[in-house]
Structure formats: structure tokens, C-alpha cells
Amino acid sequence: MYLDAIIVVALIIVAFCWFRRFSKFVYAFAIIDIFLRLLNYIANNIGIKGFAKWVNGIFPNSIPAIINNYTNGIVCTVLEWIYIGLMVFFLFYVIRAFIRKR
């Protein structure tokens, strides 16, 4: 029942412990979210119903989907703004890396 939340929380904890720097944690957090979104898109658009059912049963759609599924009210709002903040940091790091590479 809580398998999707357990998977994402475990991945985030591993990323936080593995990567000591905040920027690397932000990259890992964004990679997890992008992976979940891509997996969901592929599963729903590939045309194999068994695969789509398996993916949708095991993996969550995204990190905001987990937040909305398990929280409500002010806690949900705060966690969503933390998510937005991490994505803003990710965008900042990506743009900074792009400008430095030029």
C-alpha cells in the first residue's frame, strides 16, 4: 500500500547520504523525479497494458503525486513548496553549468 512512498523516501535518503554536497542532492532529487515521470509516460504510451499496470502499481507518477497522495492541508502545501524550491535550485544549477560550458 505504501510501497511507492517507501521507494521514493528510500531513494531520497540514499541520495542525501551518498551525496554530501547540497547541489549533488538536488541533482539526485531531480533525477529521481524525472525518472518517475519518464517511466510513467513510457508505460502509459507504449501500448502494453500489462506493463502499464505493473509500472502504475509499483512506481508513483512523480514526487508531487506522492505528496498529494499521503498528505493534505498545510503539510501538503509546505512539502509542495519545498519541492518547488528544490526544482528551482536544480534549474539554477543546470543553467549555471550550461553557461560555464559555453
Side-chain angles (χ1 to χ4, degrees):
M1 181 174 181
Y2 299 109
L3 188 60
D4 55 350
I6 292 170
I7 290 172
V8 171
V9 169
L11 287 173
I12 290 172
I13 289 172
V14 167
F16 189 70
C17 292
W18 187 268
F19 303 117
R20 298 289 182 191
R21 295 182 57 201
F22 181 70
S23 62
K24 290 184 179 183
F25 171 73
V26 170
Y27 277 120
F29 186 81
I31 288 168
I32 292 167
D33 190 51
I34 292 168
F35 172 74
L36 292 173
R37 290 175 186 266
L38 282 174
L39 191 63
N40 182 42
Y41 181 82
I42 291 169
N44 291 331
N45 292 313
I46 199 168
I48 302 172
K49 292 184 184 201
F51 180 70
K53 184 178 177 183
W54 178 75
V55 168
N56 290 332
I58 299 288
F59 297 101
N61 293 340
S62 63
I63 293 175
I66 296 170
I67 293 171
N68 291 329
N69 194 22
Y70 294 107
T71 61
N72 57 12
I74 193 74
V75 174
C76 181
T77 304
V78 169
L79 289 175
E80 286 179 348
W81 278 107
I82 290 171
Y83 169 80
I84 294 297
L86 288 172
M87 287 297 135
V88 168
F89 278 120
F90 174 68
L91 182 62
F92 169 74
Y93 289 134
V94 168
I95 291 172
R96 188 176 71 174
F98 179 72
I99 290 173
R100 285 185 180 177
K101 297 289 182 185
R102 265 184 13 161

